[in-house]
Structure formats: structure tokens, C-alpha cells
Amino acid sequence: MTRGLRLYARFRGRMARAHYWWLILAAILAFCAAGAVDYLLFPAVPAEGLPRRHPVTVFLCVVLVLPVTAAGWRRLHDVNRRGWWLLLPGAALLAFLGLAVLVRQMAAEPKTPPTPPGQPGVAQTDMAPTATVPAAVAETAPAAGWIDALALGLPAIALLFGIGVLLLLARRGDPHANRFGPPPF
């Protein structure tokens, strides 16, 4: 674990499987401890409008994001893969979030323009005119089935990429020197 923290931001070289997983275990335990500290020191007070806060956990996340990423990068080098593979699940997740924003914006836009008052298809009431969609317009509205398929497919792709990267990180490293350097031991 200390070896992983000593090489804080080093993305070159290789890292042994055992060193990587001990670092991950230490990070998980640190996050559990930080969550407990946040729970005890920063409770939510709904009467005062204070939501639950997590400053210790956020601080730990900021501190550990670089060494854990660098360790994963070096670990992928040990199995003779480029470190960029570590970014695949995040890229798929960002594509999903971008698509979700796009779909939300498309859903917020009106599909058909409202019919002006006094025209056919408008029901007049005492309050305000209410537009109805004529049957001819409703039938010609484009189907957004491809967007739904993409919105469901991208999280699945991100999950598959995540499982693939996890399998690469758990794989036995090359016992001989590879293009990223000599074995870590």
C-alpha cells in the first residue's frame, strides 16, 4: 500500500497485482472510515435545513484519485496494455450522461406547435384555450426509438467495459520484460 502512495503520480512502469489490490483495499477501508467520521461529525439537521455533508470523504476522494488512477495505469502496463484502457468505462458513462441530457432537452421541447385560438382542434373554455393535437400531426411525429435503445445500451456498454477492465486488472502480469519495462519485482 505504501509503495502505491510513494509513487503518487507516476504513470510509467509496472505495478504488481498484489501491490495494486492492497492499495485498493486500503482505499476502500479509508473511505469506510471517512464515511463514519462524516456521519458522526457532520449529521443532517432537517429542522435547520442542513443536509448531510461529507467533507472528509470528499477530501479523501480528491487526495486518492491520482494515486489510485496512476496505480491502475501501471497495473495495466504489467499486463502489457496501455493505461488508456482504464478510461473506457468512464468514457462510455460520459457518453450516456451526454445522451441523457440530450433526451431531456428533446422531451422538454414541444413536439407540435400549438394551434392558434379559434382554429379547428382547439377547445375553448372560460380559463384559457387548450390545444389538442390533430390525428394527422400525431401520426407523422418521428419515433424516438433509436434514442431509447441508445439510452439503454450505453450503460450496458459502460458496465461491460468496466468488467473487462476489472478482469485486466486482476490478470497475472507478464513475468518477463515487456514494452513498459522490466517486471515490478
Side-chain angles (χ1 to χ4, degrees):
M1 181 200 81
T2 57
R3 179 182 170 124
L5 291 176
R6 249 184 318 165
L7 302 172
Y8 189 80
R10 184 175 171 204
F11 287 82
R12 290 188 190 147
R14 297 166 60 175
M15 184 174 211
R17 181 170 47 173
H19 290 155
Y20 176 74
W21 290 109
W22 279 110
L23 177 68
I24 295 301
L25 178 64
I28 290 170
L29 293 175
F31 276 112
C32 289
V37 168
D38 282 337
Y39 182 77
L40 293 173
L41 297 180
F42 303 101
V45 184
E48 296 177 14
L50 289 175
R52 183 164 304 282
R53 299 170 314 274
H54 307 282
V56 178
T57 305
V58 170
F59 175 74
L60 185 65
C61 186
V62 168
V63 168
L64 287 182
V65 70
L66 192 59
V68 168
T69 303
W73 205 273
R74 290 191 314 272
R75 178 72 197 117
L76 286 173
H77 285 177
D78 192 39
V79 295
N80 206 14
R81 296 281 192 266
R82 294 196 183 274
W84 294 104
W85 284 73
L86 198 61
L87 302 178
L88 281 177
L93 189 61
L94 284 177
F96 166 68
L97 291 175
L99 183 67
V101 168
L102 176 71
V103 168
R104 184 175 175 128
Q105 287 178 349
M106 288 176 61
E109 296 174 2
K111 301 223 185 294
T112 57
T115 310
Q119 296 290 327
V122 175
Q124 298 289 336
T125 63
D126 293 341
M127 304 288 274
T130 306
T132 60
V133 179
V137 174
E139 290 174 6
T140 60
W146 66 273
I147 294 176
D148 294 336
L150 212 58
L152 292 174
L154 284 174
I157 290 171
L159 180 65
L160 289 176
F161 281 154
I163 291 170
V165 169
L166 187 65
L167 290 174
L168 284 175
L169 291 169
R171 205 171 129 190
R172 182 176 295 188
D174 290 341
H176 306 292
N178 63 17
R179 60 185 168 163
F180 299 106
F185 291 113

